[in-house]
């Protein structure tokens, strides 16, 4: 069994046991991703060097959990969409132009 499938099955079982799927529309999940991403950012609000790794890990897990749920609701494969996006981004940021630079692709 691949690990992404295990994650999806665990999330699905958790939500079904609580009858929470009814609340997981794409819009609600997108809002939840943004909210949890804000909570992740809050971990670095006043000191980006001295953060609590446990707190950061938990907030990152929340973001990822909602991302997996959104992929499930939309019927898309997380691995497939990530790999596709990486391929697209590789074309926008070729190594010979982007290496060591933080410029946007249209400024390379």
């Amino acid at each position: 069994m691949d690990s992404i499938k295990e994650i999806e099955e665990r999330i699905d079982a958790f939500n079904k046991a609580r009858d929470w799927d009814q609340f997981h529309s794409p819009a609600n999940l997108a809002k939840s991703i943004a909210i949890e991403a804000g909570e992740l950012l809050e971990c670095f609000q006043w000191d980006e060097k001295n953060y609590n790794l446990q707190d950061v890990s938990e907030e990152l897990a929340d973001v990822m959990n909602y991302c997996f749920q959104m992929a499930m609701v939309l019927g898309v494969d997380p691995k497939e969409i990530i790999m596709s996006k990486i391929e697209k981004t590789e074309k926008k940021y070729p190594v010979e132009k982007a290496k060591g630079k933080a410029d946007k692709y249209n400024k390379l």
Side-chain angles (χ1 to χ4, degrees), residues 21-40:
D21 286 334
Q22 62 182 313
F23 307 116
H24 294 157
S25 67
N28 284 349
L29 291 167
K31 292 172 201 174
S32 296
I33 291 166
I35 291 164
E36 293 298 339
E39 290 179 12
L40 174 60

Side-chain angles (χ1 to χ4, degrees), residues 53-72:
L53 183 58
Q54 181 65 35
D55 291 344
V56 170
S57 296
E58 288 182 11
E59 295 304 337
L60 180 58
D62 288 342
V63 172
M64 294 171 73
N65 185 347
Y66 282 122
C67 287
F68 274 102
Q69 288 183 65
M70 187 164 193
M72 291 163 57

Side-chain angles (χ1 to χ4, degrees), residues 18-104:
R18 290 157 183 82
D19 194 25
W20 284 357
D21 286 334
Q22 62 182 313
F23 307 116
H24 294 157
S25 67
N28 284 349
L29 291 167
K31 292 172 201 174
S32 296
I33 291 166
I35 291 164
E36 293 298 339
E39 290 179 12
L40 174 60
L41 188 57
E42 188 177 28
C43 293
F44 303 97
Q45 185 173 8
W46 305 115
D47 187 347
E48 63 186 56
K49 294 180 183 170
N50 299 303
Y51 53 86
N52 181 302
L53 183 58
Q54 181 65 35
D55 291 344
V56 170
S57 296
E58 288 182 11
E59 295 304 337
L60 180 58
D62 288 342
V63 172
M64 294 171 73
N65 185 347
Y66 282 122
C67 287
F68 274 102
Q69 288 183 65
M70 187 164 193
M72 291 163 57
V73 166
L74 295 173
V76 297
D77 181 302
K79 181 178 177 182
E80 186 178 300
I81 64 173
I82 290 168
M83 297 304 272
S84 175
K85 182 62 178 185
I86 289 172
E87 288 174 14
K88 186 176 181 178
T89 304
E90 283 173 336
K91 291 175 184 161
K92 288 168 74 173
Y93 293 93
V95 173
E96 60 276 1
K97 290 184 178 181
K99 189 169 185 173
K101 298 178 182 175
D103 300 328
K104 190 170 179 177

